[in-house]
Amino acid sequence: MKRLKMERNDLALALVLVVLIAVMSMLSDRFLRFGNLMQVLQQMTELGILAIGGTAVIMTAGIDVSVTAVSALTGIMAAFCFRRGLGMAPAIAIALLTALLAGALNGLLVGVCKVNSIVATLGTKSVFSGLALVICSGAPISAFSDRYIFLGQGSVGGVPTQVFILLAVLAAGYILTNRTQLGRCLSVIGNSPEAARYSGIRTKCYTFAAYIFAALCSGIGGIVMSARVATARSDLGGTYQMQVISAILLGGTSFTGGRGKVIGSVVGVLVFAILSNGFNLAGASTFMQQIINGALLIVILVVRAAMDNQKERSMIRQTKQRG
């Protein structure tokens, strides 16, 4: 029954996607053109990478609001390394190491010190944003090599390079959350931390690992972002936070933890990318897009809350019947 219910959720998301594509294609005859579809894919890659990492954290019933700050800091570090004369490989390595250290701080606060995830990552978000400002002295840095910029602006066979990066991260995220002990333990921790501890699961270590993975995805997203615009800024991607959370919830991940789908999260990002692209083609204002995206987030939260409440009531009834 649980498997059937999950399949119905996936079917509903697929239906939303199909209907959305049909509506947007009717609003503009340019929507289904190859060039425009590739633009949609290009627009969704950065959000998709961030959403994959964020899914692992939300599976533990936590939330990381520092992902965009980590992305910006990673891009700044890569640009700083290039400006200091380092090559592409060491620059990316140092930038990703910075992201991992940021994730380690988040994991330490939430997983080990048991600080509320929102409070902890709000604090670290300020720290990471401040560090980025200090490193770049408050000014954008444009010191990237052509090979680095290719990661964000290039294409292979007409397909944007970012799409291949997204697919690689998606494959890694899927295996991690669905085919490894880490993914199973994250689900158990999200359902009941107490039960996880009594089962012998090292909740601190696995929670720590979830924030590490989220930060790594944020770092990769930051590299793609900075390569796409050929510059690094301390506020780069700052508007992505709520869209990331919305896409994760739309994709079927439970806000209360215990269930997560990285593929669903990426499909959720695709829904928002299609909405944005379709509205742009139709000439809708950015203010209207913000209103619609905000309203959609509210609807998603309400529906998810109703589903979680229904699930809880069903479990209570089953427990009473067994008793």
Side-chain angles (χ1 to χ4, degrees):
M1 181 64 70
K2 181 178 180 182
R3 184 178 178 182
L4 179 60
K5 182 178 179 181
M6 292 176 68
E7 289 175 351
R8 286 176 178 173
N9 288 337
D10 296 339
L11 181 61
L13 181 59
L15 182 61
V16 169
L17 186 61
V18 171
V19 171
L20 187 59
I21 292 174
V23 170
M24 293 304 173
S25 62
M26 288 187 292
L27 289 176
S28 174
D29 58 357
R30 292 179 294 167
F31 179 77
L32 291 178
R33 293 179 182 176
F34 179 80
N36 185 67
L37 293 178
M38 290 302 101
Q39 186 177 359
V40 171
L41 293 178
Q42 188 177 37
Q43 290 173 346
M44 68 168 285
T45 52
E46 297 155 8
L47 276 173
I49 294 171
L50 297 184
I52 291 168
T55 300
V57 171
I58 295 182
M59 284 176 67
T60 67
I63 188 168
D64 186 353
V65 297
S66 70
V67 291
T68 54
V70 174
S71 294
L73 178 60
T74 303
I76 289 289
M77 281 302 301
F80 179 79
C81 291
F82 272 109
R83 192 166 65 178
R84 292 292 180 179
L86 295 181
M88 179 174 170
I92 291 178
I94 292 173
L96 291 179
L97 177 61
T98 302
L100 291 174
L101 291 174
L105 177 58
N106 285 335
L108 179 65
L109 292 173
V110 179
V112 179
C113 299
K114 301 300 179 183
V115 180
N116 178 275
S117 60
I118 296 179
V119 175
T121 54
L122 272 175
T124 56
K125 178 181 180 180
S126 297
V127 172
F128 302 150
S129 297
L131 283 174
L133 284 169
V134 170
I135 294 171
C136 69
S137 300
I141 304 177
S142 301
F144 297 121
S145 67
D146 292 339
R147 285 198 304 157
Y148 184 92
I149 294 174
F150 181 80
L151 297 176
Q153 297 183 9
S155 63
V156 179
V159 180
T161 312
Q162 303 102 302
V163 175
F164 297 103
I165 298 174
L166 171 63
L167 291 175
V169 177
L170 176 59
Y174 178 81
I175 294 172
L176 196 68
T177 57
N178 291 274
R179 294 290 185 267
T180 66
Q181 184 178 355
L182 173 62
R184 292 188 289 271
C185 290
L186 293 181
S187 295
V188 175
I189 293 170
N191 278 318
S192 175
E194 291 296 329
R197 280 193 289 270
Y198 287 133
S199 301
I201 295 175
R202 295 177 295 174
T203 57
K204 293 181 180 180
C205 293
Y206 286 112
T207 302
F208 184 87
Y211 284 89
I212 288 286
F213 178 66
L216 178 60
C217 290
S218 297
I220 296 172
I223 288 173
V224 173
M225 274 186 254
S226 58
R228 176 176 58 83
V229 299
T231 189
R233 304 194 314 266
S234 60
D235 63 342
L236 192 63
T239 60
Y240 284 173
Q241 184 67 61
M242 295 311 298
Q243 294 182 51
V244 169
I245 296 173
S246 302
I248 293 172
L249 298 180
L250 180 61
T253 298
S254 173
F255 196 69
T256 56
R259 184 177 72 249
K261 300 178 180 180
V262 293
I263 294 179
S265 297
V266 173
V267 174
V269 170
L270 180 58
V271 168
F272 280 100
I274 291 174
L275 273 174
S276 177
N277 180 266
F279 286 138
N280 288 335
L281 292 176
S285 68
T286 55
F287 304 110
M288 183 59 65
Q289 292 182 40
Q290 289 180 359
I291 293 173
I292 293 174
N293 287 338
L296 182 58
L297 174 58
I298 293 172
V299 171
I300 293 169
L301 290 174
V302 170
V303 171
R304 286 298 173 196
M307 291 175 63
D308 290 338
N309 290 335
Q310 183 181 6
K311 180 180 178 181
E312 185 177 352
R313 288 193 297 268
S314 177
M315 292 177 62
I316 293 175
R317 284 196 301 268
Q318 291 176 6
T319 303
K320 289 181 178 179
Q321 289 174 359
R322 292 173 183 172

